[in-house]
Amino acid sequence: MSSQIAPLNPTVDPYQHLQIALNADGTITRLREVPNTPPTPDPSHPTPVLSKDIPLNQSNNTWVRIFLPREALDHNSSTKLPLIVYFHGGGFILYSAASSISHDHCANMAIDLHVIIVSVEYRLAPEHRLPAAYDDAMEALHWIKTTPDDWLSDYADSSNTFIMGGSAGGNIAYHAGLRAATEIDKLEPLVIRGLILLQPYFGGSQRTQSELRDNDPILPLSVCDLMWELSLPIVDRDHEYCNPKVGDGPQLLEKIKLLGWKVLVVGCDGDILFEHQIELVKLMREKGVSVVSQFGDGGYHGIDMFEPAKTKALHVVLKNFILSSLVA
């Protein structure tokens, strides 16, 4: 780790890059028109993956989108499919479970991995700073364990559940996992088998070499810093929500070890967050957690969402990890 002060790229205006405007009351106006995809719950629709939205907490305007592969309906099989609880990325401040990029990502995973996915619409910062998203994540887990929804009760194997997220969603999945590990008895019959963290969004006050290079086209350093400023309860990149090595997190990893969960961390060395992800893997291994890590050469933050060949390769990694973690 380097303690140098990184020279922020003066050519990158983080507000312009993110297409947001800061309002006087601390909220933001999201100027980018992000395409959304509606759910397709009708079984007569020819789509290979059905989807539907169900309210989670109407006072918080949170909900879940469930993805059900058509094969689950077509096969006269008593074998239920593993369940993934998924959290989208967007630096805690952007996107939705309905955003087309997130919807398509989940639909493709449901097909390729042969899983059912519950994608959680959590509250965004800065209107709802962390830990609001973590609270929503836990509310979703408790909802899943009690819901009478027929898609989940008939086709999902809740005894083989994985918590997963990409970028900021990876951070949410990690913190939801830490919380869930402390109240595992309250989540039954939901049984968590592992965490899947795709280029998870972590940081710290000390600059890393990747941050000093500041050459990630998707996530320049100034943009990364701004999203932390807008999402953390206090502006401190050594806050436990940002830096997994501080606070109660390291101690809570002991519970994950005892539960026998497996953790998959996927990234690449072209990601500005690369060293933070490496440090997370080291921390978990030091605590005795069973960790599988896969880091590629080059790339950039979010590459698996934007390049189809990388997406397909990622799905192979995910499928192998899930199969190796299942309990019959």
Side-chain angles (χ1 to χ4, degrees), residues 165-183:
S167 189
N171 176 296
I172 296 170
Y174 177 78
H175 283 283
L178 293 180
R179 288 192 182 189
T182 67
E183 51 184 272

Side-chain angles (χ1 to χ4, degrees), residues 7 33 61 80 89 95 102 109 155 160-161 168 199 216 226 235 242 244 247 254 260 285 309 321-322:
E33 291 188 11
N61 197 28
K80 295 185 176 183
Y95 301 117
S102 176
M109 285 195 298
Y155 304 111
N160 280 308
T161 297
Q199 293 187 287
D216 189 315
L226 176 60
V235 182
C242 178
E254 301 279 357
R285 286 184 173 148
F321 175 78
I322 290 171

Side-chain angles (χ1 to χ4, degrees), residues 175-192:
H175 283 283
L178 293 180
R179 288 192 182 189
T182 67
E183 51 184 272
I184 203 69
D185 294 340
K186 298 178 183 177
L187 290 172
E188 293 178 351
L190 200 68
V191 180
I192 297 165

